[in-house]
Short mmCIF file of all heavy atoms in Angstrom, two decimals:
data_model
loop_
_atom_site.label_atom_id
_atom_site.label_comp_id
_atom_site.label_asym_id
_atom_site.label_seq_id
_atom_site.Cartn_x
_atom_site.Cartn_y
_atom_site.Cartn_z
N GLU A 31 2.94 -1.94 15.56
CA GLU A 31 1.98 -2.16 14.48
C GLU A 31 1.02 -1.00 14.36
O GLU A 31 0.76 -0.28 15.32
CB GLU A 31 1.17 -3.43 14.78
CG GLU A 31 1.92 -4.72 14.60
CD GLU A 31 0.99 -5.94 14.72
OE1 GLU A 31 -0.16 -5.77 15.14
OE2 GLU A 31 1.45 -7.03 14.39
N VAL A 32 0.48 -0.87 13.17
CA VAL A 32 -0.64 0.04 12.93
C VAL A 32 -1.91 -0.80 13.09
O VAL A 32 -2.04 -1.85 12.46
CB VAL A 32 -0.57 0.65 11.53
CG1 VAL A 32 -1.82 1.46 11.22
CG2 VAL A 32 0.69 1.50 11.38
N TYR A 59 3.55 10.97 10.01
CA TYR A 59 2.83 11.03 8.74
C TYR A 59 1.81 9.92 8.72
O TYR A 59 2.10 8.79 9.10
CB TYR A 59 3.80 10.85 7.57
CG TYR A 59 4.88 11.90 7.50
CD1 TYR A 59 6.06 11.74 8.21
CD2 TYR A 59 4.73 13.04 6.72
CE1 TYR A 59 7.06 12.70 8.16
CE2 TYR A 59 5.72 14.00 6.66
CZ TYR A 59 6.88 13.82 7.38
OH TYR A 59 7.86 14.78 7.33
N TYR A 61 -1.63 8.08 6.54
CA TYR A 61 -2.15 7.90 5.19
C TYR A 61 -3.36 6.99 5.22
O TYR A 61 -3.47 6.10 6.07
CB TYR A 61 -1.10 7.23 4.29
CG TYR A 61 0.26 7.88 4.32
CD1 TYR A 61 1.19 7.54 5.31
CD2 TYR A 61 0.63 8.82 3.37
CE1 TYR A 61 2.44 8.15 5.34
CE2 TYR A 61 1.89 9.42 3.40
CZ TYR A 61 2.78 9.08 4.39
OH TYR A 61 4.02 9.66 4.41
N TYR A 63 -5.20 4.49 2.22
CA TYR A 63 -5.22 3.92 0.88
C TYR A 63 -6.43 3.00 0.81
O TYR A 63 -6.93 2.54 1.83
CB TYR A 63 -3.95 3.09 0.61
CG TYR A 63 -2.72 3.91 0.34
CD1 TYR A 63 -2.04 4.54 1.39
CD2 TYR A 63 -2.23 4.05 -0.95
CE1 TYR A 63 -0.90 5.29 1.14
CE2 TYR A 63 -1.08 4.81 -1.21
CZ TYR A 63 -0.45 5.42 -0.16
OH TYR A 63 0.68 6.18 -0.41
N GLN A 65 -8.30 -0.36 -1.62
CA GLN A 65 -8.15 -1.36 -2.67
C GLN A 65 -9.51 -1.96 -2.96
O GLN A 65 -10.04 -2.73 -2.14
CB GLN A 65 -7.16 -2.45 -2.24
CG GLN A 65 -6.85 -3.47 -3.31
CD GLN A 65 -5.83 -4.49 -2.84
OE1 GLN A 65 -5.73 -4.80 -1.65
NE2 GLN A 65 -5.06 -5.01 -3.76
N LYS A 70 -5.93 -2.36 -8.00
CA LYS A 70 -4.69 -2.04 -7.27
C LYS A 70 -4.96 -1.14 -6.07
O LYS A 70 -6.03 -0.56 -5.92
CB LYS A 70 -3.69 -1.39 -8.21
CG LYS A 70 -4.14 -0.06 -8.78
CD LYS A 70 -3.04 0.44 -9.71
CE LYS A 70 -3.47 1.68 -10.43
NZ LYS A 70 -2.41 2.15 -11.35
N VAL A 71 -3.97 -1.07 -5.22
CA VAL A 71 -4.04 -0.20 -4.04
C VAL A 71 -3.91 1.24 -4.51
O VAL A 71 -2.99 1.58 -5.27
CB VAL A 71 -2.91 -0.55 -3.05
CG1 VAL A 71 -2.96 0.36 -1.84
CG2 VAL A 71 -3.00 -2.01 -2.64
N PHE A 73 -3.96 5.48 -3.54
CA PHE A 73 -3.77 6.53 -2.54
C PHE A 73 -5.05 7.34 -2.37
O PHE A 73 -5.71 7.70 -3.35
CB PHE A 73 -2.63 7.44 -3.00
CG PHE A 73 -2.46 8.71 -2.22
CD1 PHE A 73 -1.79 8.69 -1.01
CD2 PHE A 73 -2.94 9.91 -2.72
CE1 PHE A 73 -1.62 9.87 -0.30
CE2 PHE A 73 -2.77 11.09 -2.02
CZ PHE A 73 -2.11 11.08 -0.80
N SER A 76 -2.94 11.92 2.45
CA SER A 76 -1.84 11.95 3.42
C SER A 76 -2.09 13.10 4.40
O SER A 76 -2.73 14.10 4.06
CB SER A 76 -0.49 12.11 2.72
OG SER A 76 -0.47 13.29 1.94
N TYR A 78 -0.32 15.33 7.77
CA TYR A 78 0.87 15.66 8.55
C TYR A 78 0.64 16.95 9.30
O TYR A 78 0.03 17.89 8.76
CB TYR A 78 2.08 15.80 7.61
CG TYR A 78 3.31 16.34 8.27
CD1 TYR A 78 4.08 15.55 9.12
CD2 TYR A 78 3.74 17.65 8.04
CE1 TYR A 78 5.22 16.04 9.74
CE2 TYR A 78 4.86 18.16 8.65
CZ TYR A 78 5.61 17.35 9.50
OH TYR A 78 6.73 17.85 10.11
N SER A 83 -1.99 16.78 3.72
CA SER A 83 -0.84 17.14 2.91
C SER A 83 -1.18 17.03 1.42
O SER A 83 -0.84 17.89 0.63
CB SER A 83 0.33 16.23 3.25
OG SER A 83 1.46 16.55 2.49
N GLU A 84 -1.84 15.94 1.07
CA GLU A 84 -2.28 15.74 -0.31
C GLU A 84 -3.49 14.83 -0.32
O GLU A 84 -3.61 13.96 0.55
CB GLU A 84 -1.18 15.13 -1.17
CG GLU A 84 -1.55 15.02 -2.64
CD GLU A 84 -0.48 14.34 -3.49
OE1 GLU A 84 0.57 13.96 -2.94
OE2 GLU A 84 -0.70 14.20 -4.70
N PHE A 119 -6.86 0.73 3.83
CA PHE A 119 -5.62 0.55 4.58
C PHE A 119 -5.16 1.88 5.16
O PHE A 119 -5.07 2.88 4.44
CB PHE A 119 -4.49 0.01 3.69
CG PHE A 119 -4.70 -1.38 3.22
CD1 PHE A 119 -5.10 -1.63 1.92
CD2 PHE A 119 -4.47 -2.47 4.05
CE1 PHE A 119 -5.27 -2.92 1.45
CE2 PHE A 119 -4.64 -3.76 3.60
CZ PHE A 119 -5.05 -3.99 2.31
N ARG A 126 9.23 10.74 5.66
CA ARG A 126 8.36 10.80 4.48
C ARG A 126 8.19 9.45 3.82
O ARG A 126 7.28 9.24 3.05
CB ARG A 126 8.95 11.76 3.46
CG ARG A 126 8.84 13.21 3.87
CD ARG A 126 9.39 14.07 2.78
NE ARG A 126 9.42 15.46 3.17
CZ ARG A 126 9.87 16.43 2.41
NH1 ARG A 126 10.34 16.15 1.21
NH2 ARG A 126 9.85 17.67 2.83
N TYR A 127 9.08 8.49 4.12
CA TYR A 127 8.99 7.19 3.48
C TYR A 127 9.04 6.12 4.59
O TYR A 127 9.10 6.46 5.76
CB TYR A 127 10.13 6.99 2.49
CG TYR A 127 11.47 7.41 3.05
CD1 TYR A 127 12.22 6.53 3.80
CD2 TYR A 127 11.95 8.69 2.85
CE1 TYR A 127 13.42 6.92 4.35
CE2 TYR A 127 13.16 9.08 3.39
CZ TYR A 127 13.90 8.19 4.14
OH TYR A 127 15.09 8.58 4.67
N GLY A 128 8.99 4.87 4.18
CA GLY A 128 9.08 3.81 5.19
C GLY A 128 7.76 3.58 5.88
O GLY A 128 7.66 3.58 7.10
N TYR A 129 6.72 3.37 5.08
CA TYR A 129 5.40 3.16 5.63
C TYR A 129 5.30 1.87 6.43
O TYR A 129 5.92 0.86 6.09
CB TYR A 129 4.39 2.97 4.50
CG TYR A 129 4.02 4.17 3.67
CD1 TYR A 129 4.91 5.16 3.34
CD2 TYR A 129 2.73 4.25 3.17
CE1 TYR A 129 4.55 6.21 2.55
CE2 TYR A 129 2.35 5.30 2.36
CZ TYR A 129 3.25 6.28 2.05
OH TYR A 129 2.87 7.31 1.26
N PHE A 131 1.92 -0.39 7.20
CA PHE A 131 0.49 -0.48 6.91
C PHE A 131 -0.24 -1.24 8.00
O PHE A 131 0.32 -2.16 8.62
CB PHE A 131 0.26 -1.22 5.58
CG PHE A 131 0.47 -0.36 4.37
CD1 PHE A 131 1.72 -0.28 3.78
CD2 PHE A 131 -0.58 0.35 3.82
CE1 PHE A 131 1.92 0.51 2.65
CE2 PHE A 131 -0.38 1.14 2.69
CZ PHE A 131 0.88 1.23 2.12
N GLY A 132 -1.49 -0.89 8.20
CA GLY A 132 -2.38 -1.69 9.02
C GLY A 132 -2.92 -2.87 8.24
O GLY A 132 -2.66 -2.99 7.03
N SER A 133 -3.67 -3.71 8.92
CA SER A 133 -4.19 -4.92 8.27
C SER A 133 -5.48 -4.67 7.49
O SER A 133 -5.97 -5.55 6.83
CB SER A 133 -4.42 -6.02 9.30
OG SER A 133 -5.22 -5.52 10.35
N ARG A 136 -12.26 -4.03 5.81
CA ARG A 136 -13.05 -4.32 4.62
C ARG A 136 -14.41 -3.66 4.78
O ARG A 136 -15.16 -4.00 5.70
CB ARG A 136 -13.22 -5.84 4.44
CG ARG A 136 -14.02 -6.19 3.18
CD ARG A 136 -13.95 -7.67 2.86
NE ARG A 136 -12.60 -8.11 2.57
CZ ARG A 136 -11.96 -7.88 1.44
NH1 ARG A 136 -12.54 -7.19 0.47
NH2 ARG A 136 -10.73 -8.33 1.26
N GLU B 56 11.84 6.60 -6.25
CA GLU B 56 12.10 5.73 -5.09
C GLU B 56 11.16 4.55 -5.26
O GLU B 56 9.95 4.73 -5.32
CB GLU B 56 11.75 6.43 -3.78
CG GLU B 56 12.80 7.40 -3.28
CD GLU B 56 12.41 7.96 -1.93
OE1 GLU B 56 12.40 7.19 -0.95
OE2 GLU B 56 12.09 9.16 -1.87
N PHE B 58 9.82 0.50 -4.37
CA PHE B 58 9.62 -0.44 -3.27
C PHE B 58 8.94 -1.70 -3.79
O PHE B 58 8.21 -1.67 -4.79
CB PHE B 58 8.71 0.16 -2.20
CG PHE B 58 9.19 1.47 -1.63
CD1 PHE B 58 8.94 2.66 -2.30
CD2 PHE B 58 9.89 1.50 -0.44
CE1 PHE B 58 9.38 3.87 -1.78
CE2 PHE B 58 10.34 2.71 0.09
CZ PHE B 58 10.08 3.89 -0.58
N TYR B 60 6.33 -4.47 -2.01
CA TYR B 60 5.52 -4.85 -0.86
C TYR B 60 4.99 -6.26 -1.09
O TYR B 60 4.71 -6.66 -2.23
CB TYR B 60 4.34 -3.89 -0.65
CG TYR B 60 4.74 -2.58 -0.01
CD1 TYR B 60 5.23 -1.54 -0.78
CD2 TYR B 60 4.63 -2.41 1.36
CE1 TYR B 60 5.60 -0.33 -0.19
CE2 TYR B 60 4.99 -1.21 1.96
CZ TYR B 60 5.48 -0.19 1.18
OH TYR B 60 5.84 0.99 1.78
N GLN B 62 2.05 -9.17 0.36
CA GLN B 62 0.82 -9.37 1.12
C GLN B 62 0.54 -10.87 1.14
O GLN B 62 0.20 -11.47 0.12
CB GLN B 62 -0.33 -8.62 0.46
CG GLN B 62 -1.61 -8.58 1.28
CD GLN B 62 -2.68 -7.75 0.59
OE1 GLN B 62 -2.77 -7.70 -0.63
NE2 GLN B 62 -3.50 -7.07 1.38
N ARG B 65 -4.33 -12.29 2.65
CA ARG B 65 -5.23 -11.34 3.31
C ARG B 65 -4.63 -10.66 4.54
O ARG B 65 -5.34 -10.12 5.38
CB ARG B 65 -6.55 -12.02 3.71
CG ARG B 65 -7.37 -12.47 2.53
CD ARG B 65 -8.67 -13.11 2.98
NE ARG B 65 -9.50 -13.48 1.85
CZ ARG B 65 -10.32 -12.67 1.23
NH1 ARG B 65 -10.43 -11.42 1.63
NH2 ARG B 65 -11.05 -13.07 0.21
N ARG B 67 -1.67 -7.83 6.18
CA ARG B 67 -1.31 -6.47 5.85
C ARG B 67 -0.22 -6.41 4.78
O ARG B 67 0.52 -7.37 4.60
CB ARG B 67 -0.86 -5.72 7.10
CG ARG B 67 0.45 -6.20 7.69
CD ARG B 67 0.69 -5.60 9.06
NE ARG B 67 -0.28 -6.07 10.03
CZ ARG B 67 -0.76 -5.33 11.00
NH1 ARG B 67 -0.39 -4.07 11.14
NH2 ARG B 67 -1.65 -5.81 11.85
N LEU B 68 -0.14 -5.28 4.13
CA LEU B 68 0.97 -5.03 3.21
C LEU B 68 2.25 -4.85 4.01
O LEU B 68 2.31 -4.04 4.93
CB LEU B 68 0.71 -3.76 2.40
CG LEU B 68 -0.37 -3.84 1.34
CD1 LEU B 68 -0.86 -2.44 0.99
CD2 LEU B 68 0.17 -4.53 0.10
N ARG B 73 13.34 -1.88 -0.52
CA ARG B 73 13.33 -0.59 -1.20
C ARG B 73 14.67 -0.40 -1.88
O ARG B 73 15.70 -0.87 -1.37
CB ARG B 73 13.04 0.56 -0.24
CG ARG B 73 13.99 0.70 0.90
CD ARG B 73 13.49 1.80 1.80
NE ARG B 73 14.43 2.10 2.85
CZ ARG B 73 14.11 2.76 3.94
NH1 ARG B 73 12.88 3.19 4.12
NH2 ARG B 73 15.01 3.01 4.85
N TYR B 110 3.50 -6.48 -4.69
CA TYR B 110 3.19 -5.19 -5.30
C TYR B 110 4.45 -4.35 -5.42
O TYR B 110 5.19 -4.17 -4.45
CB TYR B 110 2.18 -4.40 -4.44
CG TYR B 110 0.82 -5.02 -4.35
CD1 TYR B 110 0.49 -5.85 -3.29
CD2 TYR B 110 -0.14 -4.77 -5.32
CE1 TYR B 110 -0.77 -6.41 -3.18
CE2 TYR B 110 -1.41 -5.33 -5.24
CZ TYR B 110 -1.70 -6.15 -4.16
OH TYR B 110 -2.96 -6.72 -4.08
N ARG B 115 6.55 9.16 -4.43
CA ARG B 115 6.81 10.54 -4.83
C ARG B 115 6.56 11.42 -3.62
O ARG B 115 5.56 11.25 -2.93
CB ARG B 115 5.86 10.93 -5.97
CG ARG B 115 5.93 12.36 -6.40
CD ARG B 115 5.08 12.59 -7.65
NE ARG B 115 3.66 12.44 -7.39
CZ ARG B 115 2.86 13.45 -7.03
NH1 ARG B 115 3.34 14.65 -6.84
NH2 ARG B 115 1.56 13.24 -6.84
N THR B 116 7.49 12.30 -3.34
CA THR B 116 7.30 13.21 -2.21
C THR B 116 6.55 14.43 -2.70
O THR B 116 6.94 15.06 -3.66
CB THR B 116 8.66 13.64 -1.63
OG1 THR B 116 9.34 12.46 -1.19
CG2 THR B 116 8.47 14.57 -0.44
N THR B 117 5.45 14.69 -2.03
CA THR B 117 4.62 15.83 -2.42
C THR B 117 4.40 16.70 -1.20
O THR B 117 3.88 16.23 -0.20
CB THR B 117 3.26 15.37 -2.94
OG1 THR B 117 2.57 14.69 -1.87
CG2 THR B 117 3.41 14.40 -4.09
N GLY B 118 4.77 17.90 -1.27
CA GLY B 118 4.60 18.77 -0.11
C GLY B 118 5.38 18.22 1.06
O GLY B 118 6.58 17.98 0.97
N THR B 119 4.68 17.90 2.11
CA THR B 119 5.35 17.43 3.32
C THR B 119 5.34 15.92 3.47
O THR B 119 6.02 15.39 4.32
CB THR B 119 4.68 18.04 4.56
OG1 THR B 119 3.27 17.80 4.46
CG2 THR B 119 4.93 19.53 4.63
N ALA B 120 4.56 15.22 2.66
CA ALA B 120 4.45 13.78 2.83
C ALA B 120 4.75 13.09 1.50
O ALA B 120 4.99 13.75 0.50
CB ALA B 120 3.06 13.40 3.33
N SER B 121 4.77 11.80 1.50
CA SER B 121 5.01 11.06 0.27
C SER B 121 3.74 10.34 -0.15
O SER B 121 2.79 10.24 0.61
CB SER B 121 6.15 10.06 0.45
OG SER B 121 5.80 9.10 1.41
N LYS B 122 3.76 9.87 -1.36
CA LYS B 122 2.60 9.18 -1.91
C LYS B 122 3.08 7.99 -2.69
O LYS B 122 4.00 8.11 -3.51
CB LYS B 122 1.84 10.14 -2.82
CG LYS B 122 0.77 9.54 -3.68
CD LYS B 122 0.23 10.59 -4.62
CE LYS B 122 -0.64 9.95 -5.68
NZ LYS B 122 -1.17 10.97 -6.60
N LEU B 123 2.51 6.84 -2.42
CA LEU B 123 2.87 5.62 -3.14
C LEU B 123 1.90 5.37 -4.28
O LEU B 123 0.69 5.44 -4.09
CB LEU B 123 2.84 4.42 -2.19
CG LEU B 123 3.96 4.28 -1.15
CD1 LEU B 123 3.66 3.12 -0.22
CD2 LEU B 123 5.29 4.09 -1.84
N PHE B 125 0.95 2.27 -6.64
CA PHE B 125 1.14 0.83 -6.70
C PHE B 125 0.88 0.30 -8.10
O PHE B 125 0.06 0.83 -8.85
CB PHE B 125 0.19 0.13 -5.73
CG PHE B 125 0.56 0.23 -4.29
CD1 PHE B 125 0.16 1.32 -3.54
CD2 PHE B 125 1.31 -0.76 -3.68
CE1 PHE B 125 0.50 1.43 -2.20
CE2 PHE B 125 1.66 -0.67 -2.34
CZ PHE B 125 1.26 0.43 -1.60
N GLY B 126 1.55 -0.80 -8.41
CA GLY B 126 1.16 -1.60 -9.56
C GLY B 126 -0.03 -2.47 -9.19
O GLY B 126 -0.49 -2.48 -8.05
N THR B 127 -0.52 -3.20 -10.17
CA THR B 127 -1.71 -4.02 -9.95
C THR B 127 -1.40 -5.31 -9.20
O THR B 127 -2.31 -6.02 -8.79
CB THR B 127 -2.37 -4.38 -11.29
OG1 THR B 127 -1.37 -4.83 -12.19
CG2 THR B 127 -3.06 -3.16 -11.89
#
Side-chain angles (χ1 to χ4, degrees):
Chain A
E31 287 188 349
V32 173
Y59 300 86
Y61 309 85
Y63 285 76
Q65 185 178 29
K70 63 181 174 181
V71 179
F73 170 81
S76 58
Y78 171 75
S83 180
E84 185 183 359
F119 292 103
R126 288 182 185 179
Y127 46 86
Y129 288 36
F131 280 90
S133 53
R136 181 169 297 284
Chain B
E56 280 185 68
F58 304 82
Y60 282 84
Q62 189 177 33
R65 294 181 177 275
R67 68 191 66 216
L68 288 160
R73 59 185 186 197
Y110 294 94
R115 175 173 67 90
T116 300
T117 62
T119 51
S121 64
K122 169 186 168 180
L123 287 174
F125 285 87
T127 47

